[in-house]
Amino acid sequence: MDMQTEELASEEESFGPLALAKLEGNGISANDVKKLEDAGYHTVESVAYAPKKQLTTIKGISEAKADKLLAEALKLVPMGFTTATEFHQRRSELVQLTTGSKELDKLLGSGIETGSITEIFGEFRTGKTQLCHTLAVTCQLPIDQGGGEGKALYIDTEGTFRPERLLAVAERYGLNGGDVLDNVAYARAYNTDHQTQLLLQASAMMSESRYALLIVDSATALYRTDYSGRGELSARQMHMARFLRTLLRLADEFGVAVVITNQVVAQVDGASMFTADPKKPIGGNIMAHASTTRLYLRKGRGETRICKIYDSPCLPEAEAMFAINADGIGDAKD
């Protein structure tokens, strides 16, 4: 029996990220590992993916030490070329999280993909936050039911998180409400620096326990107020790019699904006269390139909403209708 549990533990380790302690030895002391942890690096992958100049900014890590750390990390993390066959095999094993609506899942190719960033944008009242609340529950379901068998992290910048909504969705799936709430870690972000700081805490939590989903609702709201005018545009975009890069690193490192919501801006230039829908997501090209899949939500009749795939590397541009029900996101009734 003990042999079996040991085998299971080693099997689990081979899937998840590697603990930072594995770097110890070969000229790397426990003290160096402690310095890395204090700086927000909790896995071997996070060190391997970091550029050298970022490691040398850590207090007590010299250039030679950074070289040593990277060399040791590269021995443990495969970062070279691989065949498309192998990569295809890895992609076929990706977990997809159900949105609660069969139509929406079908549009997304069976749900929200883990290991990448999905951006949801639209006007107010189009269901962005409701979709986030539903996902925070469905990610806890067993994999055969369209879940991710993991916890959820929720970073809220607009003060719209409501646990009551989670309880309603939990009831629909026959889950214990108390357990569902215990499995959602919530933080309110008050400014853009705090929002980035929370991601460091998130990586520490993810290295200790299994998380399937990270939600940032909304990723851009605080940037609109912390930076104003054209004079601060370049500083805003650079700060946002660093924030999005950290999100992508978490998705790569821990294989979580990252879902961010975004606001829209109305185009008031001459071109808007010729477009049917003169709204576009904010954040510019930096936001557009960082998101793997972009979903555009708009209002339909009554409780129905329409989701359009705005940008995706593998899904065709198509639309699906869903509804916001008392128990979360569901299919629209004809």
Side-chain angles (χ1 to χ4, degrees):
M1 187 66 188
D2 286 342
M3 282 292 285
Q4 265 185 317
T5 41
E6 268 176 37
E7 268 176 35
L8 274 172
S10 64
E11 212 176 287
E12 258 185 33
E13 266 182 23
S14 68
F15 280 110
L18 301 166
L20 202 57
K22 283 196 161 56
L23 282 178
E24 274 183 49
N26 295 344
I28 295 165
S29 65
N31 196 21
D32 295 327
V33 170
K34 176 86 174 70
K35 284 174 193 165
L36 287 170
E37 278 184 344
D38 292 344
Y41 296 88
H42 298 277
T43 62
V44 178
E45 282 85 351
S46 62
V47 176
Y49 298 157
K52 185 172 138 187
K53 72 171 188 180
Q54 209 173 311
L55 293 176
T56 52
T57 58
I58 300 169
K59 197 171 177 235
I61 303 280
S62 63
E63 205 162 312
K65 181 69 77 181
D67 284 332
K68 189 91 193 106
L69 284 166
L70 284 171
E72 289 302 315
L74 288 178
K75 286 179 192 169
L76 296 169
V77 181
M79 284 174 68
F81 283 97
T82 173
T83 64
T85 313
E86 270 180 64
F87 188 66
H88 182 59
Q89 174 61 29
R90 280 215 302 274
R91 282 209 39 95
S92 67
E93 290 164 5
L94 273 184
V95 173
Q96 315 267 77
L97 306 178
T98 176
T99 58
S101 157
K102 289 190 179 70
E103 284 298 309
L104 198 47
D105 285 350
K106 203 160 77 182
L107 176 77
L108 298 171
S110 74
I112 301 279
E113 188 177 274
T114 53
S116 69
I117 298 179
T118 302
E119 177 200 339
I120 303 165
F121 70 91
E123 281 186 287
F124 64 97
R125 218 170 65 82
T126 49
K128 302 187 296 291
T129 299
Q130 298 305 321
L131 185 51
C132 290
H133 280 69
T134 305
L135 286 168
V137 178
T138 60
C139 75
Q140 302 177 34
L141 290 168
I143 287 173
D144 57 3
Q145 285 181 36
E149 288 182 14
K151 300 178 181 178
L153 271 160
Y154 200 114
I155 297 174
D156 175 17
T157 65
E158 298 176 333
T160 50
F161 177 73
R162 296 289 179 272
E164 306 87 274
R165 298 292 297 140
L166 300 184
L167 291 172
V169 183
E171 201 175 308
R172 163 184 169 189
Y173 286 101
L175 299 170
N176 179 318
D179 292 346
V180 164
L181 295 186
D182 285 341
N183 288 335
V184 178
Y186 166 78
R188 174 78 196 270
Y190 292 98
N191 58 57
T192 48
D193 291 335
H194 182 216
Q195 190 173 314
T196 308
Q197 186 60 38
L198 285 171
L199 292 189
L200 291 180
Q201 289 180 34
S203 71
M205 289 160 74
M206 285 179 189
S207 61
E208 285 164 17
S209 171
R210 180 173 157 69
Y211 282 84
L213 175 68
L214 167 62
I215 295 166
V216 187
D217 179 26
S218 120
T220 46
L222 296 172
Y223 284 98
R224 286 183 110 165
T225 48
D226 285 9
Y227 299 87
S228 52
R230 293 240 161 138
E232 291 186 283
L233 186 62
S234 125
R236 178 186 98 164
Q237 292 301 83
M238 278 170 69
H239 196 292
M240 192 187 288
R242 277 199 299 275
F243 175 74
L244 294 167
R245 171 73 186 270
T246 312
L247 280 178
L248 190 58
R249 203 190 78 196
L250 291 177
D252 286 339
E253 209 179 307
F254 298 102
V256 295
V258 175
V259 173
I260 58 178
T261 68
N262 192 3
Q263 300 177 341
V264 291
V265 63
Q267 283 174 280
V268 288
D269 54 2
S272 64
M273 290 163 61
F274 306 106
T275 52
D277 194 359
K279 286 180 284 294
K280 61 175 188 177
I282 62 171
N285 290 329
I286 282 182
M287 194 74 179
H289 293 307
S291 315
T292 315
T293 308
R294 308 187 85 188
L295 306 177
Y296 173 36
L297 304 187
R298 63 179 199 273
K299 298 184 188 87
R301 284 202 195 122
E303 288 304 306
T304 61
R305 302 288 184 268
I306 297 149
C307 172
K308 179 186 179 186
I309 291 179
Y310 195 78
D311 172 36
S312 164
C314 57
L315 300 168
E317 268 196 25
E319 292 184 351
M321 203 180 262
F322 65 95
I324 301 173
N325 302 323
D327 57 4
I329 298 293
D331 283 317
K333 296 173 185 70
D334 293 329

